[in-house]
Amino acid sequence: MHPAFLPRGQTAPTVPVTFVTASTWREQRELIDSRGRAFADASGFEPKAGRHLLLPGAEGGGLAGVLFALEGADDPNKDLFRPGALCGLLPAGAYRFANPPHDSKLAALAFTRDVSKLSCI
């Protein structure tokens, strides 16, 4: 098994990565808690492909989640490997996909390309 993945039965606290597009952002935004929504709004987050936002956790630090923008599902030129860019953007930690990207298998493959500092599940 690739070292980026936790073995079956082993658990660790994970940070959810939520994939958004221009067409899903409004709906996904409503699923974020009020603190996260306020932070995303104040940060000027826009769901343009490749943009990301680290959502702060409660008092005391840590991450509550990550937003990562993808191209629209109907975009014929969408980059199915784009989620792999996350490994160069995220701080060390354990992450999980909160919702599926365009192609979960290719995204997971891309995510394991450069995970020297991550523990991704």
Side-chain angles (χ1 to χ4, degrees):
M1 176 183 312
H2 193 285
F5 297 98
L6 293 175
R8 184 179 301 256
Q10 183 178 344
T11 61
T14 59
V15 176
V17 175
T18 302
F19 297 102
V20 299
T21 66
S23 63
T24 65
W25 171 231
R26 187 175 305 226
E27 178 184 337
Q28 289 294 331
R29 182 185 171 281
E30 293 305 314
L31 298 176
I32 302 169
D33 65 22
S34 60
R35 175 191 207 120
R37 278 195 308 272
F39 186 81
D41 293 344
S43 299
F45 178 76
E46 295 180 13
K48 294 183 179 178
R51 292 202 177 164
H52 73 289
L53 183 66
L54 306 179
L55 299 173
E59 304 297 327
L63 287 177
V66 177
L67 299 175
F68 189 72
L70 300 173
E71 299 89 343
D74 58 348
D75 184 340
N77 297 313
K78 64 183 169 274
D79 183 355
L80 300 178
F81 290 97
R82 186 174 299 283
L86 285 164
C87 288
L89 301 171
L90 299 175
Y95 296 87
R96 65 180 168 80
F97 295 164
N99 61 332
H102 297 308
D103 186 311
S104 295
K105 289 179 182 179
L106 291 180
L109 177 65
F111 206 56
T112 60
R113 272 187 339 194
D114 180 23
V115 292
S116 59
K117 66 177 184 172
L118 295 177
S119 178
C120 311
I121 62 171

